[in-house]
């Protein structure tokens, strides 16, 4: 009789021990790293949500904020080309994400543009162009390489020479292009990202 009671207690302790192990594993599992995004590739201007630890409050920090910023919820935003380290931390545990940021390039396509208004910023004069002149301008634009960039790098007003504004048949702005001595800045429309080239453009065809 006593041996049966001992056996029952032993079995009960064994069951409890297994339950404790399972519960401990489950608890630890909520704290483990979700390292599937340890190497991240992203383009300038884009955002991405990182996942580091499960069901716990995480402290996020970018060690290269000029390249990649990170929110309190682990949302990163790529600012410029380069490599950055983003750290997720809980207590004494850390997970480091290597974020590689590449440029996002733009190719002009102004098929919807029916007229182009060019403003000479040095003398204030304007002139309108239509038809083949728009195609010529598009071809010249696409000889340059344009990449997305952060608004804080806007060209100074004094360094700009011309402003090109392209409109469709409904007189809606298709694109706005600022041409300067050192670079060209393109804004696809009023709400789109800006793109910039690393060089200027010869525009003899549009002198007036």
């Amino acid at each position: 009789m006593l041996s049966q009671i001992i056996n029952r207690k032993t079995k009960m302790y064994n069951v409890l021990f297994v339950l404790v192990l399972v519960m401990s594993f489950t608890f630890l599992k909520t704290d483990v790293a979700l390292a599937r995004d340890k190497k991240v590739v992203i383009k300038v201007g884009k955002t991405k949500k990182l996942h580091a630890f499960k069901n716990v409050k995480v402290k996020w920090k970018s060690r290269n904020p000029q390249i990649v910023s990170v929110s309190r919820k682990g949302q990163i935003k790529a600012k410029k080309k380069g490599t950055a380290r983003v750290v997720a931390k809980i207590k004494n545990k850390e997970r480091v994400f290597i974020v590689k940021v590449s440029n996002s390039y733009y190719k002009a396509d102004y098929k919807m543009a029916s007229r182009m208004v060019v403003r000479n910023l040095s003398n204030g004069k304007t002139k309108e162009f239509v038809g083949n002149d728009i195609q010529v301008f598009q071809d010249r634009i696409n000889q340059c390489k344009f990449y997305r960039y952060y608004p804080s790098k806007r060209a100074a007003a004094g360094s700009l020479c011309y402003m090109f504004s392209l409109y469709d048949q409904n007189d809606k702005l298709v694109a706005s292009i600022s041409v300067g001595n050192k670079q060209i800045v393109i804004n696809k429309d009023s709400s789109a990202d800006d793109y910039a080239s690393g060089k200027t453009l010869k525009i003899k065809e549009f002198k007036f």
Side-chain angles (χ1 to χ4, degrees):
M1 186 70 177
L2 181 61
S3 61
Q4 288 178 350
I5 293 172
I6 292 172
N7 286 336
R8 284 176 188 173
K9 284 188 176 182
T10 303
K11 287 180 180 179
M12 183 177 69
Y13 287 138
N14 287 338
V15 170
L16 285 172
F17 179 72
V18 171
L19 285 174
V20 168
L21 278 178
V22 171
M23 289 176 69
S24 299
F25 178 76
T26 304
F27 174 75
L28 289 171
K29 196 173 180 180
T30 64
D31 195 48
V32 298
L34 305 173
R36 62 177 181 270
D37 291 324
K38 285 196 78 174
K39 289 186 178 179
V40 180
V41 178
I42 188 172
K43 292 193 173 185
V44 174
K46 296 294 184 180
T47 61
K48 181 180 176 66
K49 182 77 166 64
L50 298 183
H51 304 277
F53 297 95
K54 195 176 179 182
N55 299 335
V56 288
K57 190 174 181 180
V58 181
K59 288 184 178 179
W60 292 91
K61 184 178 181 180
S62 173
R63 291 180 180 166
N64 311 85
Q66 72 278 12
I67 297 174
V68 174
S69 62
V70 62
S71 72
R72 282 186 274 182
K73 294 185 178 180
Q75 178 112 333
I76 61 170
K77 182 169 185 179
K79 293 185 176 182
K80 70 176 184 179
K81 184 179 179 181
T83 302
R85 283 175 169 76
V86 177
V87 181
K89 187 174 183 179
I90 60 163
K91 299 177 183 177
N92 60 342
K93 293 183 180 180
E94 279 189 358
R95 290 293 176 269
V96 179
F97 295 82
I98 308 300
V99 183
K100 185 177 180 181
V101 181
S102 60
N103 277 329
S104 181
Y105 296 103
Y106 171 71
K107 189 173 182 180
D109 183 7
Y110 302 134
K111 293 177 182 177
M112 300 298 293
S114 59
R115 71 185 183 96
M116 177 171 63
V117 178
V118 185
R119 181 181 178 86
N120 186 324
L121 298 177
S122 62
N123 58 27
K125 292 182 179 180
T126 61
K127 190 171 182 179
E128 187 170 310
F129 296 88
V130 295
N132 189 56
D133 286 319
I134 297 176
Q135 183 63 50
V136 170
F137 180 67
Q138 175 173 311
D139 292 342
R140 298 297 297 278
I141 282 285
N142 284 333
Q143 290 174 14
C144 303
K145 204 169 189 178
F146 290 87
Y147 54 91
R148 187 185 278 121
Y149 77 117
Y150 225 45
S152 61
K153 288 189 175 180
R154 287 187 190 280
S159 66
L160 301 176
C161 306
Y162 291 90
M163 172 68 77
F164 293 77
S165 301
L166 289 93
Y167 299 88
D168 64 14
Q169 292 180 346
N170 299 316
D171 215 34
K172 181 182 177 182
L173 185 66
V174 175
S176 174
I177 300 99
S178 303
V179 177
N181 296 320
K182 294 183 178 179
Q183 67 174 1
I184 311 166
V185 178
I186 293 181
N187 187 282
K188 291 194 293 183
D189 56 44
S190 59
S191 61
D193 294 308
D194 285 345
Y195 291 79
S197 74
K199 60 182 179 179
T200 188
L201 183 72
K202 292 180 181 180
I203 47 175
K204 292 179 181 178
E205 295 90 340
F206 302 102
K207 283 190 175 181
F208 55 91

